[in-house]
Amino acid sequence: AGDGRMLECRPAAKHLGHGGVVTRVRGEVLRILRENGGVPVVAPIGVDPEGRRYNVNADHVAGALAAELDAAKLILMTDVAGVLMGKGPRARLASTLHGSEVRKLIRSGGIHGGMVPKVEACLEALAGGTGKAHILDGRARHALLLEIFTTSGIGTEIVR
């Protein structure tokens, strides 16, 4: 059930129906696949102790997986430039943010909407030992290369 119970979860909230929150990642499932030449493709579906399936936010799954696997980096590709500071035409890209800044920005509403689960996933990965987390605009040509191999990057890097 649910990819070898790799993603264990609990219901997120009653009003969300079959929405779930990851409570545990069984990384051994991924390790077995890797050791045997498999390429893991992870669907954001978790199961509770009774085997009921839940839809889990994919960003949160990515953060939990990065933490479990002691990943050096977590890279989230999205359709915006990264974390934008401010609103409208005056908004500017935050090149680097520290975890403590991110938490303050969430509380103050500076980070809102669909960016919240992305930065929360980054914080979860960092708390679990991941070195750095990046949020990149997947629409930009060579986004990954520019972020990783240039000093300034093009997205938002989140560090501890």
Side-chain angles (χ1 to χ4, degrees), residues 7-82:
L7 299 174
E8 294 181 2
C9 69
R10 63 172 171 75
K14 207 166 191 83
H15 73 281
L16 293 177
H18 293 285
V21 175
V22 175
T23 56
R24 179 176 175 229
V25 175
R26 294 183 56 222
E28 63 270 16
V29 175
L30 291 175
R31 288 184 191 94
I32 290 167
L33 283 170
R34 267 194 333 208
E35 289 167 5
N36 290 289
V39 177
V41 177
V42 179
I45 304 293
V47 294
D48 68 9
E50 287 78 39
R52 289 184 293 259
R53 292 187 174 128
Y54 293 89
N55 180 25
V56 183
N57 180 287
D59 295 321
H60 285 285
V61 170
L65 287 170
E68 172 64 26
L69 298 173
D70 297 321
K73 292 182 182 282
L74 169 65
I75 300 171
L76 299 176
M77 303 290 273
T78 187
D79 61 353
V80 295

Side-chain angles (χ1 to χ4, degrees), residues 83-127:
V83 177
L84 299 176
M85 305 303 289
K87 294 182 180 177
R90 303 182 105 191
R92 66 172 179 78
L93 177 68
S95 179
T96 301
L97 290 171
H98 292 272
S100 58
E101 293 175 276
V102 170
R103 286 183 275 283
K104 287 177 188 172
L105 286 166
I106 292 171
R107 283 192 300 272
S108 72
I111 295 176
H112 57 279
M115 190 55 68
V116 172
K118 290 174 184 4
V119 297
E120 287 175 342
C122 293
L123 294 175
E124 180 174 3
L126 294 172

Side-chain angles (χ1 to χ4, degrees), residues 83 92-97 147 151-158:
V83 177
R92 66 172 179 78
L93 177 68
S95 179
T96 301
L97 290 171
E147 180 69 13
T151 53
S152 59
I154 64 162
T156 300
E157 168 187 72
I158 300 177

